[in-house]
Amino acid sequence: MLGICRGRRKFLAASLSLLCIPAITWIYLFSGSFEDGKPVSLSPLESQAHSPRYTASSQRERESLEVRMREVEEENRALRRQLSLAQGRAPSHRRGNHSKTYSMEEGTGDSENLRAGIVAGNSSECGQQPVVEKCETIHVAIVCAGYNASRDVVTLVKSVLFHRRNPLHFHLIADSIAEQILATLFQTWMVPAVRVDFYNADELKSEVSWIPNKHYSGIYGLMKLVLTKTLPANLERVIVLDTDITFATDIAELWAVFHKFKGQQVLGLVENQSDWYLGNLWKNHRPWPALGRGYNTGVILLLLDKLRKMKWEQMWRLTAERELMGMLSTSLADQDIFNAVIKQNPFLVYQLPCFWNVQLSDHTRSEQCYRDVSDLKVIHWNSPKKLRVKNKHVEFFRNLYLTFLEYDGNLLRRELFGCPSEADVNSENLQKQLSELDEDDLCYEFRRERFTVHRTHLYFLHYEYEPAADSTDVTLVAQLSMDRLQMLEAICKHWEGPISLALYLSDAEAQQFLRYAQGSEVLMSRHNVGYHIVYKEGQFYPVNLLRNVAMKHISTPYMFLSDIDFLPMYGLYEYLRKSVIQLDLANTKKAMIVPAFETLRYRLSFPKSKAELLSMLDMGTLFTFSFDFSQTLSPIISCKTTVPNTCL
């Protein structure tokens, strides 16, 4: 205690000296500038012009005064250096009270430069934050598998792109489904200074499949353990993120923390904000071993080069094998194994401030991690409840998440100032074609629209279908916008076969569609409907593009091309499959003509047979499609067709 007080007195004395010496100096200069009550100029020329008493002695006095001024300035600089050193030596933690306030800084890592007074007991550091080079590439690794995780990744990427000022390189460990979806998305997104590489997650299953895992993430929840082996050997460091992360700041700030690692620190982690690893959540609760509260692996900083030298692969395998003898399985996937390794080797971890991973899970202490929501950097929705989790600031968190969820991704296609993007042949060709257009052409806007690359998210919802083995299967193909959404349930009731739909929506409308689909028993019961979102851009409706997207992603040999406001007759799917065999479409190039009809009535009993259809035609309840229009033009434009896949 005495040492602390002395340190504070030295600190106070240095501060007063720094403030008082310049003041005394200027008082001295000010008083010395008067002679006989009159101000005397310090300029020699001015003295000669206005003071006949300018002599050699006064010149020497002035020169000595200037020397003294320089000495005072040197003393000031020395005092500033001493003051800086005194601040650096000041105690970083106050342990005067025994409050259980959750500290953002406790651990083995150096403290971050925090806003003053975020949490009582938090430390601060007056040293300047490390700076990331202007065009330095930041590497981010994400494990992603399946349809739902692919949607989550898009929201995470939006939040990162919104704040970023550096080039980004995403390393996506993905299964075949996620790779197909995200590869198309990034290819059509065309964000400058962003590179994406994929690594086959299915090939990594054998590396971790021997570990029993109870966590809902399944086998993919263990794949962060093998990143040192999976990522390129020349990659030295990487930020690893869960898919349920939302960034509220520039990711470069997190990348800069790598410069704070010391000695053998190779893992940057935030302390777990629940009591899980303390083992007191319920009776007979037996978690994996951990250091204190343990660490959460939703945000990890990995020094890959050092981990490889430490033989990380062997380290975590031996630990997992030993612990599984007693634990039998993991409860929190890779997080359990990371914590078991850290328990044995605490020197490996650099503890990040908790605002880099505010965990909104059950039984969380995240509310003690910050005083104001503006202090947050990263929000982690690590509860199965996701947006329904309980927290006093959950509305703020939810609104932040929804902002990025519905944010127009086209606005993120901005160039980084001063950081030239890598040459892209497709972009260069596109720019060349646009430059050749005549802006005075009356159809300029229409012609220009041909070169618009629309961001495309394939299989927006879960899709699971295997075509029939007899090669007669038929997929219904259609395109629609938001105003035809109400037709989907009726079409699904009338057509039991596979469907491929292209929806032209904005980001916000895509989320409305998701809520609509998830609230519909009819749509949720169907897993053979592929929903492909083509995001809105430009002023025209790209009907041919939409139809092509829907046609491209069918898995059957035949398709039934239809407008979205046409309802196929009950049983048409099976009827067309039988017709494929009867007409030998596999060996001949034929198209089947399917007559179309329309009605002016809002409510109609759908005809169940040809006889009933003819009766309704005679009664005037039904008409051939575009009856009034076709009478004036052509009698043959009243049908829709099915086209064999070979005739596209």
Side-chain angles (χ1 to χ4, degrees):
M1 186 66 185
L2 183 60
I4 294 175
C5 293
R6 287 175 179 172
R8 288 178 178 171
R9 286 200 294 271
K10 290 179 180 179
F11 183 87
L12 183 61
S15 302
L16 291 173
S17 300
L18 185 62
L19 294 171
C20 295
I21 289 177
I24 294 170
T25 302
W26 286 112
I27 292 171
Y28 168 71
L29 292 175
F30 184 72
S31 61
S33 299
F34 284 80
E35 192 169 304
D36 297 334
K38 297 180 181 179
V40 177
S41 172
L42 293 179
S43 168
L45 292 176
E46 212 173 338
S47 300
Q48 286 178 349
H50 300 285
S51 177
R53 291 177 293 174
Y54 178 80
T55 62
S57 61
S58 62
Q59 174 66 15
R60 285 193 299 271
E61 291 174 1
R62 195 159 285 106
E63 288 175 352
S64 64
L65 183 60
E66 291 173 356
V67 170
R68 179 57 184 156
M69 287 175 60
R70 285 194 291 271
E71 290 174 353
V72 169
E73 290 174 355
E74 286 295 328
E75 291 174 4
N76 286 344
R77 280 194 286 270
L79 280 169
R80 289 193 187 97
R81 285 194 294 270
Q82 292 175 10
L83 182 59
S84 178
L85 290 173
Q87 289 174 328
R89 290 192 298 264
S92 59
H93 294 279
R94 285 194 298 174
R95 302 294 185 184
N97 58 24
H98 298 281
S99 168
K100 292 186 179 180
T101 301
Y102 188 66
S103 173
M104 292 189 286
E105 294 295 336
E106 293 177 3
T108 58
D110 292 342
S111 59
E112 290 278 352
N113 190 14
L114 304 179
R115 292 176 177 84
I118 292 176
V119 176
N122 284 351
S123 66
S124 62
E125 188 177 290
C126 296
Q128 194 172 8
Q129 288 280 5
V131 178
V132 178
E133 294 293 331
K134 182 176 181 181
C135 294
E136 180 181 352
T137 299
I138 296 172
H139 294 267
V140 180
I142 304 169
V143 179
C144 176
Y147 302 95
N148 295 340
S150 299
R151 288 200 310 271
D152 293 337
V153 165
V154 177
T155 308
L156 162 60
V157 170
K158 280 183 180 180
S159 70
V160 173
L161 291 176
F162 181 84
H163 298 286
R164 66 106 180 212
R165 286 174 289 184
N166 285 71
L168 296 171
H169 189 165
F170 289 102
H171 302 266
L172 301 181
I173 296 84
D175 65 349
S176 57
I177 293 169
E179 181 172 354
Q180 180 188 14
I181 295 170
L182 296 174
T184 302
L185 178 69
F186 279 104
Q187 183 181 357
T188 54
W189 203 342
M190 300 178 68
V191 182
V194 170
R195 178 179 169 183
V196 182
D197 284 330
F198 290 90
Y199 308 84
N200 193 336
D202 295 326
E203 294 179 357
L204 301 175
K205 286 183 178 180
S206 60
E207 301 284 341
V208 292
S209 59
W210 56 275
I211 304 174
N213 180 27
K214 294 180 180 178
H215 194 256
Y216 61 84
S217 59
I219 192 170
Y220 298 100
L222 297 162
M223 290 189 177
K224 294 177 194 171
L225 295 166
V226 296
L227 288 180
T228 54
K229 188 176 180 180
T230 306
L231 298 177
N234 60 348
L235 183 59
E236 296 181 356
R237 60 190 64 182
V238 68
I239 297 173
V240 186
L241 302 174
D242 279 357
T243 58
D244 52 1
I245 290 288
T246 304
F247 265 78
T249 191
D250 188 353
I251 195 172
E253 295 180 32
L254 181 58
W255 185 259
V257 178
F258 274 117
H259 298 292
K260 293 175 174 271
F261 282 32
K262 295 178 181 178
Q264 293 182 294
Q265 292 174 341
V266 290
L267 302 170
L269 293 164
V270 171
E271 189 176 35
N272 200 43
Q273 291 160 17
S274 77
D275 293 345
W276 177 271
Y277 287 108
L278 298 181
N280 57 9
L281 292 182
W282 58 79
K283 189 177 180 181
N284 299 325
H285 176 216
R286 187 165 167 250
W288 275 56
L291 193 64
R293 292 189 170 277
Y295 293 91
N296 184 275
T297 56
V299 177
I300 315 176
L301 270 60
L302 289 183
L303 274 182
L304 295 171
D305 52 344
K306 285 190 175 183
L307 280 167
R308 294 183 183 111
K309 292 175 182 176
M310 291 179 176
K311 297 183 178 180
W312 167 256
E313 192 77 15
Q314 182 180 357
M315 189 183 297
W316 75 259
R317 281 179 179 274
L318 290 174
T319 302
E321 288 172 359
R322 183 180 65 249
E323 296 301 333
L324 283 171
M325 293 175 66
M327 300 301 299
L328 302 181
S329 67
T330 61
S331 298
L332 300 180
D334 64 89
Q335 184 169 301
D336 284 339
I337 299 176
F338 269 103
N339 275 288
V341 173
I342 293 169
K343 174 76 171 178
Q344 297 294 322
N345 308 278
F347 56 86
L348 296 176
V349 70
Y350 173 93
Q351 184 170 322
L352 298 172
C354 74
F355 52 58
W356 283 117
N357 185 355
V358 178
Q359 302 147 38
L360 301 181
S361 59
D362 295 331
H363 312 291
T364 184
R365 297 161 58 90
S366 60
E367 294 178 9
Q368 300 179 38
C369 181
Y370 56 89
R371 174 169 295 177
D372 190 83
V373 290
S374 62
D375 300 320
L376 303 180
K377 306 284 188 181
V378 172
I379 300 168
H380 186 187
W381 303 90
N382 62 324
S383 167
K385 297 178 181 178
K386 300 304 178 187
L387 298 184
R388 301 188 305 276
V389 73
K390 293 181 180 180
N391 183 285
K392 66 180 180 182
H393 294 120
V394 71
E395 273 306 311
F396 173 84
F397 299 141
R398 189 183 293 118
N399 290 336
L400 180 66
Y401 175 81
L402 293 176
T403 296
F404 290 118
L405 191 70
E406 301 182 355
Y407 189 81
D408 185 355
N410 299 325
L411 300 178
L412 298 170
R413 289 170 164 167
R414 58 178 184 265
E415 290 280 353
L416 290 181
F417 182 74
C419 295
S421 302
E422 294 182 8
D424 185 350
V425 177
N426 294 331
S427 298
E428 290 177 355
N429 291 338
L430 189 62
Q431 292 297 328
K432 182 180 178 182
Q433 290 173 325
L434 286 172
S435 64
E436 293 173 354
L437 294 178
D438 181 9
E439 295 188 16
D440 296 328
D441 185 357
L442 294 177
C443 297
Y444 169 76
E445 292 295 334
F446 187 77
R447 299 186 197 282
R448 188 179 185 279
E449 196 76 14
R450 290 186 300 142
F451 302 109
T452 301
V453 179
H454 290 268
R455 190 164 38 102
T456 304
H457 188 134
L458 303 177
Y459 300 105
F460 200 67
L461 293 176
H462 182 79
Y463 180 80
E464 188 176 350
Y465 183 74
E466 286 293 331
D470 59 4
S471 299
T472 63
D473 219 341
V474 184
T475 299
L476 188 150
V477 173
Q479 42 75 32
L480 68 151
S481 55
M482 196 69 179
D483 59 347
R484 291 291 189 273
L485 211 58
Q486 72 277 4
M487 292 297 299
L488 294 181
E489 285 191 352
I491 289 176
C492 286
K493 290 177 181 178
H494 281 249
W495 181 274
E496 63 269 26
I499 303 174
S500 180
L501 300 171
L503 297 88
Y504 192 57
L505 306 173
S506 66
D507 290 76
E509 288 173 341
Q511 297 309 314
Q512 293 178 37
F513 159 70
L514 180 61
R515 291 190 290 271
Y516 170 78
Q518 291 175 337
S520 168
E521 292 184 10
V522 174
L523 300 186
M524 284 293 97
S525 65
R526 295 285 297 271
H527 298 299
N528 61 347
V529 181
Y531 301 96
H532 312 298
I533 307 296
V534 177
Y535 287 100
K536 285 183 176 180
E537 188 171 3
Q539 56 181 318
F540 300 107
Y541 185 83
V543 59
N544 290 327
L545 170 68
L546 295 169
R547 190 178 289 119
N548 290 338
V549 169
M551 289 192 300
K552 185 177 180 181
H553 297 96
I554 64 173
S555 56
T556 59
Y558 303 98
M559 64 181 176
F560 174 47
L561 194 60
S562 174
D563 284 347
I564 193 63
D565 46 6
F566 276 62
L567 286 178
M569 75 174 196
Y570 290 110
L572 181 60
Y573 170 63
E574 291 298 334
Y575 180 87
L576 290 177
R577 291 185 61 185
K578 292 176 183 177
S579 299
V580 166
I581 299 173
Q582 292 172 358
L583 298 175
D584 192 23
L585 291 185
N587 300 310
T588 58
K589 293 185 178 181
K590 295 179 181 178
M592 287 187 287
I593 306 301
V594 180
F597 304 88
E598 64 180 349
T599 182
L600 301 177
R601 300 189 179 187
Y602 288 102
R603 294 183 179 180
L604 180 74
S605 177
F606 205 88
K608 295 179 175 60
S609 64
K610 184 175 181 180
E612 190 175 341
L613 172 69
L614 293 174
S615 173
M616 296 175 76
L617 280 170
D618 292 339
M619 294 173 59
T621 307
L622 290 180
F623 306 93
T624 54
F625 179 63
S626 297
F627 174 74
D628 296 334
F629 183 67
S630 62
Q631 280 188 323
T632 60
L633 290 180
S634 169
I636 63 170
I637 59 169
S638 58
C639 62
K640 293 293 175 183
T641 61
T642 60
V643 185
N645 212 18
T646 54
C647 298
L648 296 180

